Amino acid sequence: METIFQSVFSGVLMGCIYALIALGLSLIFGVMNVVNFAHGDFVMLSMYFTFWAGSLWGIDAVLTPLVTFPLLFLFGVIIYYGLISRTLREHYTIQIAITVGLMTFLRAITQLVWQARPRALTYSFIQGNIQVGGYVIALSRLVSAIISLIIIGSISYFLNRTWPGREIRATSDDLDAASLMGINYQKTYAIAFGLGSSLTAIAGGLLMTFQQVDPTMGLRFGLLSWCILALAGLGSLPGLLISGLIVGVSESLAMTFWDPRARLLVIYLIFVLVLWVRPRGIFGRK
Amino acid sequence: MEQKKNNQVTKSLLWLLLLIIAVIIPWILGSNQYSVLLVTTVLLYGVMATLWNIIGGLAGQLDLGSFAYLGLGAFTSGTLLIRYNFTPWMGMILGGLVAAGFALLIGIPLFRFRIREVWYALTTCALVEILKVVFTMWEKVGGPVERYLPHYGSLYHMRFSSYIPYYYLMLGLLLIALGVNYRINKTRLGYYLKALGEDEIAAEVLGIDTRSCKLKALVCYSFLIGVTGGIYANMYGYIHPSFFDGQESIKVAILGIVGGRGITYGPLLAALLLVGIQEFLRASIGGDVSGLYLVIYSVILIVVVLFRPKGIATIFQDVYQRVFSRRGVEKKNVQ
């Protein structure tokens, strides 16, 4: 019983970060219908940035998003104007080809700069465990989950209460009507793409407090966030969060009670089953 | 009419020339086994991308699962050889059947529930990763350690001491793949596939049974990839769960897209150019600076996609038309 609780709880904490990663993808796919295969590699890239900041300048992993957030926003905007906006009118396979090219490029660059071996940071100031009623909780994971929740909340506020957020939602609902209302859709798309990428900067920083990074982990994070998106459907933030928790918990349970190697198996099986049973997702709006 | 005939003759001559070049390449490289392996690898991607054209180019289903079928074929043929001393010449056919059976098992519900576009792509991509984990955990057949194929240097066991026979096997497969593509293009199924690849709902309205058409294309593609898997296992001499490689499966689909969707020789052209460049760079600078060859490769890929979204094959079509059609026009004027 105690093991189950422990496992579920650590899954919930992980799920919050997964939801944060998937939120970035949801912004990109939901708003401009662009299939971004490089999203997982954005996470990997920001984890390497965090590693760099931590090992070269001794900046703590939790604080690096202050630097990497604007950096990845800029990166996303450049990628949008340089590559994505030129292929918006093309067949969707062309967009996939472009983002796969980007994915290969990012992976190769990280291999070139940081070599292929796994990297990890030695410490963070939120190290250690806390005990709550006999259960041991890693502090770094708890803090990461809380920060993820705060970020998801503020993105929700941004989308619902501010003008750029409203413009993003309007273009996502009806591109033509939004353009007629005087919204510059190129700018809105660029903001959405930049924001989607920069969310991975926060996730990357949080992940680095308790994980290592290697160049091949991009595809895994990419498929993981697509899985959460399939589960959640488009356009529902609470749905996204719940889906993230479902994925996190099932991964954690599979690791505890079956086999550590089975974690991805369980996630992908959920993904395939959800697509078969409910192609619109469980909480989907569109 | 005569000009059309002339055109056909020049086309056949071009293909014949290419075939002759392909046949003599191993004799030129003969002394260097490594180069032969690289050329065979390029051919392998050519075969896979050409086969991908059936499901991806004609039927418009973005399949990212090619290495799932390749791995299934490799594991079937390899395990039969290791366990029962079964000849891979038959084993690779069985491997193809296993791959096709698996594809049916997956394809029927996928097409039944109308999973399309991105979601079809992601499902097939997840499938490769699922099989990788399954075969890593299934200790009786796979497991984390490589299983080496026995009987080195025997024709019955398809284990040769040089890469040249494998090169010719791959070349044979490539011809089969091109032939199947060409044949499907000419049949009713080919027209149906092209129609549903353009617009699935419109094709359905016109009375095409899209589900069975897509299944036929999927079975055809997965069977031949499974057969390729048998040769793949024998060429490398071992079987390992890392054969189920999601990254490489995506690469095969990208070759099909970049080559020009629906153009029979497009994927082959893309494979020859892109994989050729990649393998050449890997061989020449890969040892000094790891990752640099991939940087160059991906930049080339992005540039090609940006400036030729209709496919590399269209460049050659343009050049071909410019060279041969103008001459045809001039001849006409003279006459």
Side-chain angles (χ1 to χ4, degrees):
Chain A
M1 192 62 219
E2 202 164 294
T3 339
I4 294 178
F5 180 82
Q6 190 87 46
S7 170
V8 167
F9 195 75
S10 97
V12 165
L13 296 185
M14 224 27 218
C16 294
I17 302 182
Y18 289 163
L20 182 64
I21 299 173
L23 177 61
L25 189 67
S26 170
L27 269 176
I28 292 171
F29 181 65
V31 172
M32 58 191 99
N33 219 357
V34 163
V35 182
N36 186 6
F37 264 63
H39 193 71
D41 292 77
F42 284 6
V43 179
M44 185 224 12
L45 189 70
S46 28
M47 285 174 85
Y48 269 111
F49 280 151
T50 310
F51 167 75
W52 219 358
S55 55
L56 289 186
W57 302 305
I59 304 175
D60 196 89
V62 188
L63 300 177
T64 39
L66 294 176
V67 187
T68 50
F69 187 86
L71 200 66
L72 260 108
F73 186 84
L74 195 69
F75 180 69
V77 170
I78 292 172
I79 292 293
Y80 174 75
Y81 280 115
L83 301 178
I84 309 292
S85 73
R86 289 160 196 259
T87 53
L88 276 180
R89 301 255 171 270
E90 301 287 348
H91 198 256
Y92 75 99
T93 51
I94 296 299
Q95 295 165 359
I96 291 183
I98 277 278
T99 50
V100 167
L102 184 64
M103 175 173 97
T104 320
F105 180 75
L106 289 181
R107 179 164 313 173
I109 283 286
T110 48
Q111 243 182 55
L112 199 64
V113 180
W114 291 284
Q115 275 81 50
R117 58 174 179 274
R119 305 282 194 157
L121 284 171
T122 43
Y123 61 88
S124 159
F125 65 68
I126 49 166
Q127 212 67 26
N129 299 313
I130 51 168
Q131 301 235 338
V132 181
Y135 300 111
V136 182
I137 297 160
L139 192 61
S140 57
R141 293 197 179 215
L142 186 66
V143 172
S144 304
I146 292 171
I147 295 178
S148 303
L149 286 179
I150 294 171
I151 300 293
I152 292 174
S154 47
I155 290 297
S156 168
Y157 177 84
F158 168 77
L159 285 177
N160 287 314
R161 295 271 179 271
T162 63
W163 276 113
R166 282 183 183 138
E167 283 176 3
I168 286 178
R169 281 193 305 141
T171 16
S172 139
D173 278 346
D174 190 334
L175 176 60
D176 294 329
S179 302
L180 287 174
M181 292 298 133
I183 294 175
N184 180 351
Y185 79 92
Q186 287 277 7
K187 206 177 106 193
T188 315
Y189 279 8
I191 291 174
F193 203 93
L195 196 61
S197 326
S198 57
L199 285 180
T200 65
I202 299 171
L206 296 177
L207 281 170
M208 269 319 261
T209 55
F210 55 87
Q211 266 200 352
Q212 56 183 20
V213 56
D214 66 89
T216 57
M217 68 197 318
L219 186 65
R220 206 166 68 225
F221 275 119
L223 277 176
L224 192 86
S225 32
W226 278 106
C227 170
I228 295 173
L229 207 58
L231 209 57
L234 289 174
S236 156
L237 265 178
L240 201 67
L241 187 58
I242 295 170
S243 308
L245 296 186
I246 292 174
V247 167
V249 169
S250 33
E251 180 190 29
S252 170
L253 285 176
M255 272 163 71
T256 321
F257 292 105
W258 188 10
D259 194 318
R261 289 171 297 183
R263 54 190 283 205
L264 291 171
L265 190 64
V266 171
I267 295 174
Y268 295 148
L269 283 178
I270 293 175
F271 176 58
V272 174
L273 281 179
V274 164
L275 281 183
W276 283 355
V277 181
R278 268 198 76 106
R280 299 241 173 274
I282 301 176
F283 312 97
R285 184 167 59 102
K286 282 204 275 196
Chain B
M1 193 63 204
E2 197 169 307
Q3 197 191 334
K4 202 180 172 189
K5 214 174 179 183
N6 264 340
N7 228 340
Q8 290 239 309
V9 172
T10 33
K11 254 185 196 166
S12 324
L13 278 178
L14 273 179
W15 278 110
L16 197 66
L17 188 71
L18 279 177
L19 187 63
I20 291 170
I21 293 174
V23 168
I24 55 170
I25 277 181
W27 296 108
I28 301 167
L29 299 172
S31 56
N32 190 344
Q33 284 293 309
Y34 182 57
S35 321
V36 179
L37 176 63
L38 291 189
V39 179
T40 315
T41 310
V42 175
L43 270 191
L44 169 76
Y45 280 95
V47 171
M48 293 186 74
T50 307
L51 290 172
W52 183 88
N53 194 42
I54 300 173
I55 185 89
L58 292 176
Q61 307 299 312
L62 187 66
D63 193 290
L64 300 183
S66 48
F67 270 69
Y69 308 126
L70 189 86
L72 281 175
F75 265 88
T76 309
S77 145
T79 310
L80 283 175
L81 176 60
I82 294 172
R83 286 276 173 89
Y84 308 107
N85 205 13
F86 194 78
T87 173
W89 297 101
M90 286 299 291
M92 65 185 197
I93 306 289
L94 286 180
L97 288 177
V98 168
F102 182 74
L104 262 184
L105 212 66
I106 298 301
I108 289 174
L110 271 185
F111 296 139
R112 163 75 187 76
F113 294 114
R114 300 171 178 284
I115 293 165
R116 276 180 221 164
E117 297 190 352
V118 194
W119 302 109
Y120 180 81
L122 290 164
T123 312
T124 46
C125 191
L127 217 57
V128 184
E129 300 288 323
I130 287 176
L131 281 177
K132 186 192 213 162
V133 179
V134 166
F135 273 88
T136 314
M137 289 170 64
W138 190 11
E139 302 270 357
K140 278 188 178 156
V141 177
V145 187
E146 289 102 338
R147 285 168 187 264
Y148 287 95
L149 303 184
H151 308 295
Y152 188 67
S154 142
L155 179 64
Y156 173 80
H157 300 101
M158 207 204 273
R159 306 276 288 114
F160 307 111
S161 51
S162 139
Y163 283 118
I164 293 180
Y166 297 115
Y167 174 85
Y168 284 117
L169 279 173
M170 264 323 157
L171 192 62
L173 270 177
L174 181 64
L175 291 179
I176 293 175
L178 282 172
V180 168
N181 254 293
Y182 188 75
R183 189 79 204 107
I184 288 185
N185 247 320
K186 297 278 177 219
T187 57
R188 187 181 288 259
L189 177 65
Y191 289 111
Y192 283 174
L193 288 177
K194 270 184 260 183
L196 78 89
E198 284 296 319
D199 190 338
E200 204 163 326
I201 293 167
E204 238 163 68
V205 169
L206 288 173
I208 297 174
D209 185 356
T210 53
R211 211 191 293 168
S212 84
C213 282
K214 283 194 281 187
L215 271 182
K216 277 178 199 160
L218 182 65
V219 165
C220 193
Y221 151 80
S222 54
F223 174 77
L224 286 169
I225 295 253
V227 172
T228 317
I231 297 175
Y232 185 79
N234 278 284
M235 189 169 95
Y236 284 97
Y238 66 91
I239 46 176
H240 188 250
S242 65
F243 282 5
F244 299 98
D245 193 330
Q247 204 64 43
E248 296 300 303
S249 302
I250 295 177
K251 191 159 123 192
V252 168
I254 293 302
L255 291 175
I257 296 168
V258 171
R261 279 173 304 116
I263 303 172
T264 307
Y265 58 90
L268 174 63
L269 203 63
L272 291 184
L273 286 176
L274 286 176
V275 182
I277 290 172
Q278 194 196 346
E279 294 297 330
F280 172 74
L281 287 173
R282 197 218 297 263
S284 52
I285 59 171
D288 306 331
V289 196
S290 90
L292 185 59
Y293 76 95
L294 273 178
V295 174
I296 300 174
Y297 163 79
S298 51
V299 168
I300 293 175
L301 174 65
I302 291 175
V303 168
V304 165
V305 175
L306 272 187
F307 291 99
R308 272 288 164 165
K310 292 272 177 282
I312 298 180
T314 57
I315 303 178
F316 280 74
Q317 277 176 348
D318 288 356
V319 171
Y320 179 85
Q321 269 181 354
R322 220 168 264 176
V323 173
F324 290 101
S325 303
R326 188 175 290 168
R327 213 176 60 188
V329 170
E330 279 168 6
K331 257 185 198 166
K332 223 181 208 170
N333 289 342
V334 170
Q335 280 164 358

